[in-house]
Amino acid sequence: MKTRNKPTRNGAPVKVQVIPVAEGVWCFRRPSYVACSYVVSTAAGVVAVDVGMDSSADDFAEGLRQIAIAPDRVKAVLLTHWHNDHSAGAAHLKRNFDVRVYYHAGDQPSFTRKTASQGIRSWLGKHVPEEGVLVLLRGLLEEASPEAVDADHLVADGEIIEREFRVLVTPGHTPGHVAYIHEPTRTLFCGDALAVVADQLRLMARPVALDLPAARASALRCLREQSQFICPGHRGPLTNNVARERRRLLDYLEAGGRWPLLG
Ligand SMILES: [Zn+2]
């Protein structure tokens, strides 16, 4: 897997690695939690899929710098679900660059902080640093995104948004989880509906598949798409042997294969 990152001037650990996926499609991976955002250059402007993990969007901005895209060229942010490692930078980008934000109504209470916890949980959540796996813990303690972010549009299944992306409603990991297909490159952005480990398609660990029957149906749905590239929320994209990997996991699930504990 080819990655591109410039060494930092002060010798600090690299915050973001850039992995090219397809023509005009890049993955930004944070080594601290292998959480991935994606950037797609379209005829109508630059579109991001997921913008964790910093609520300042510093990590996302660093990825953009590495591929020489100015932040004001980003026109839209497509969010797969509310977890902080996927969405923390959205409020900042909307406020500063007027990006259009898309997500599903099922996760709206968390995105808008209607579900935000109170008292000690909230206090603890706010004091958890935005580093590594702690980012997810922070969100789960607060039960909400770090800053409320409104959608410019609530997505529906099958809808085409930003001209080139089709919405797949894929609940299970969260109630409003969605995936997006970039039709021109046949790239599937599946968030946490599927995982990729060592160039193999996998399921997410069972404890994070909150609604297991829904997660199973969503994984099947993603696998049945004739995608050329699969871009999950963690570790990195699957760009080789995609059809074979899709078939393998599809056969397993269709034969009634059990959902493994560790995915
Ligand atoms: Zn998640």
Side-chain angles (χ1 to χ4, degrees):
M1 193 179 287
K2 265 192 298 177
T3 60
R4 174 163 44 165
N5 42 24
K6 297 191 175 98
T8 54
R9 251 171 285 154
N10 56 8
V14 173
K15 227 174 173 184
V16 169
Q17 301 167 315
V18 174
I19 306 167
V21 179
E23 184 70 35
V25 183
W26 297 271
C27 168
F28 295 174
R29 175 173 61 183
R30 292 96 176 144
S32 74
Y33 186 42
V34 290
C36 297
S37 294
Y38 296 91
V39 167
V40 183
S41 176
T42 78
V46 174
V47 175
V49 181
D50 284 346
V51 287
M53 302 188 324
D54 294 347
S55 46
S56 61
D58 280 355
D59 52 351
F60 184 70
E62 186 178 319
L64 287 179
R65 261 195 305 278
Q66 289 186 38
I67 56 172
I69 288 180
D72 61 2
R73 284 179 56 204
V74 179
K75 301 299 176 207
V77 170
L78 281 46
L79 297 169
T80 59
H81 63 297
W82 75 267
H83 288 162
N84 291 23
D85 48 326
H86 295 259
S87 72
H92 175 92
L93 292 170
K94 188 167 167 58
R95 195 167 50 241
N96 290 280
F97 302 106
D98 201 25
V99 299
R100 294 180 288 275
V101 170
Y102 295 81
Y103 56 72
H104 188 270
D107 277 10
Q108 192 174 26
S110 296
F111 278 123
T112 55
R113 293 185 58 83
K114 297 258 183 324
T115 51
S117 58
Q118 307 288 326
I120 187 74
R121 278 180 72 114
S122 164
W123 185 90
L124 277 172
K126 285 191 183 7
H127 287 78
V128 172
E130 291 182 311
E131 274 303 319
V133 71
L134 295 174
V135 170
L136 185 59
L137 175 68
R138 179 183 167 120
L140 295 178
L141 278 167
E142 283 214 80
E143 296 179 74
S145 303
E147 282 185 73
V149 58
D150 287 322
D152 292 85
H153 182 79
L154 293 171
V155 298
D157 194 48
E159 165 176 41
I160 303 292
I161 55 172
E162 295 293 323
R163 299 186 197 177
E164 299 184 357
F165 295 83
R166 180 159 48 87
V167 176
L168 283 181
V169 171
T170 50
H173 178 72
T174 65
H177 190 287
V178 282
Y180 302 95
I181 298 248
H182 182 236
E183 297 280 15
T185 57
R186 304 293 306 152
T187 303
L188 169 67
F189 300 98
C190 59
D192 288 347
L194 289 173
V196 171
V197 181
D199 271 344
Q200 287 199 325
L201 275 177
R202 300 268 286 268
L203 301 168
M204 293 291 286
R206 206 185 307 163
V208 296
L210 292 189
D211 178 340
L212 204 54
R216 190 179 183 98
S218 293
L220 281 165
R221 215 160 157 219
C222 287
L223 293 168
R224 286 179 183 137
E225 287 289 333
Q226 303 288 321
S227 51
Q228 196 129 24
F229 307 101
I230 297 185
C231 294
H234 295 274
R235 292 189 187 83
L238 182 71
T239 56
N240 294 315
N241 301 318
V242 177
R244 194 186 71 194
E245 276 301 300
R246 277 198 351 252
R247 191 69 255 166
R248 183 185 58 75
L249 193 52
L250 201 50
D251 285 348
Y252 175 79
L253 286 175
E254 284 177 341
R258 281 167 55 86
W259 192 291
L261 182 61
L262 299 178

